[in-house]
Amino acid sequence: MTNAPVSVSGSGSPGASAVAHLVRGPLVLTAATDEVGVVAARLVADHVRGHPTGVLGVATGASPLRLYAALAELRAEGLVTEGLTLAALDEYVGIDPGDERSYHSYVVRHIAGPLGIPESRVLVPRGGTQRDAERYEATLRDLGGVGLQVVGIGRNGHIGFNEPGSSRDSRTRVVALSDDTRAANARYFAGDADRVPSHAITQGIATILAASRIVMVASGAAKAWALDAALRGPVTADVPASFLRTHPSVTVVADDEALRPAS
Ligand code: F6R
């Protein structure tokens, strides 16, 4: 079954989201660019209040940085985050966890540290074999799965590192990164796409969709094509993010630039 998106323009209020969730389909909240993370953080905080020792699924990249900073601000105001376990979506193959460009480092630096979560409860897929991938799936399963999952969207429509062509049934596995993704991430590798690892280990689409709730953040015109295709185009492996429409509880928080229909 696929769900049509429901839009609530200019709203980040919990009241609006509660009403709109009575209608099936991704809820789309529009926010000013510098408010996208703040609105998304409120949604995450609502979930964390009910699941203070649960598993929070986290994306890396630029899109959710403001969300994590806003969560830390909410922690300073009393939100209890120290009991959470963090589970990342993906990691480069061949980059050591201690390397500052690793997603492990990102999660520790931008999320676990500010939220007071010990590194022992930071889970990031690691390695480059099918066995490594299966181990990560088993770890998530043993923890009872992810409660709320934060996702970004690649400009080619990927979620996690599930590049176009990824199947709805895919699980954690080692994947080749597309040229487009390597070009997009060159900024973290001295601007040189050739230095971006060629492979990554990523949760699959089915792994991501197993989360109880999903919050996507997106901003900027560079995401407009992907978001348009994901929300309004066919549900297809060509645009992996479109599979989010098969999940019953997805909220997209995005700015006007990202939500502008592609011409
Ligand atoms: C990161 C991830 C990716 C990013 C996407 C957008 O863990 O899984 O799917 O969310 O590439 O990246 P940014 O936010 O840097 O544009």
Side-chain angles (χ1 to χ4, degrees):
M1 184 195 55
T2 64
N3 302 312
V6 176
S7 283
V8 181
S9 278
S11 168
S13 80
S17 87
V19 171
H21 267 300
L22 296 175
V23 186
R24 293 183 70 89
L27 170 69
V28 181
L29 300 177
T30 315
T33 306
D34 56 0
E35 290 287 308
V36 167
V38 177
V39 170
R42 276 188 219 131
L43 301 176
V44 175
D46 282 348
H47 178 86
V48 167
R49 277 186 202 100
H51 306 83
T53 57
V55 181
L56 178 65
V58 289
T60 61
S63 307
L65 280 173
R66 183 71 190 100
L67 187 171
Y68 301 137
L71 262 189
E73 286 159 24
L74 291 171
R75 180 186 176 218
E77 292 166 15
L79 179 69
V80 177
T81 54
E82 298 81 1
L84 293 169
T85 293
L86 300 174
L89 286 171
D90 42 21
E91 179 62 284
Y92 292 116
V93 171
I95 298 277
D96 190 78
D99 187 310
E100 63 173 16
R101 296 165 303 180
S102 75
Y103 286 177
H104 184 97
S105 294
Y106 174 108
V107 175
V108 169
R109 191 166 60 241
H110 295 295
I111 318 174
L115 297 186
I117 299 165
E119 206 168 332
S120 56
R121 275 191 268 111
V122 170
L123 308 174
V124 181
R126 183 177 178 177
T129 68
Q130 180 56 22
R131 226 188 126 139
D132 295 322
E134 282 164 14
R135 196 174 302 127
Y136 194 63
E137 280 280 332
T139 302
L140 295 179
R141 200 171 45 241
D142 291 349
L143 283 166
V146 171
L148 184 147
Q149 176 68 54
V150 174
V151 296
I153 183 169
R155 60 192 191 185
N156 64 357
H158 74 207
I159 47 171
F161 274 137
N162 294 284
E163 300 285 34
S166 299
S167 97
R168 164 75 176 73
D169 300 329
S170 54
R171 290 278 170 185
T172 304
R173 66 204 186 290
V174 176
V175 295
L177 295 179
S178 69
D179 290 345
D180 191 63
T181 295
R182 294 177 79 203
N185 290 2
R187 61 194 193 274
Y188 303 113
F189 292 84
D192 184 355
D194 290 336
R195 288 208 212 170
V196 179
S198 58
H199 288 76
I201 181 168
T202 183
Q203 287 189 31
I205 305 277
T207 320
I208 294 171
L209 295 180
S212 309
R213 185 150 187 221
I214 297 175
V215 172
M216 171 182 274
V217 281
S219 55
K223 301 297 172 71
W225 179 87
L227 209 51
D228 190 33
L231 293 175
R232 304 182 192 101
V235 174
T236 165
D238 293 340
V239 183
S242 67
F243 287 124
L244 293 175
R245 279 159 49 210
T246 68
H247 189 285
S249 181
V250 176
T251 306
V252 177
V253 187
D255 68 2
D256 283 338
E257 288 77 11
L259 281 169
R260 195 158 290 142
S263 48

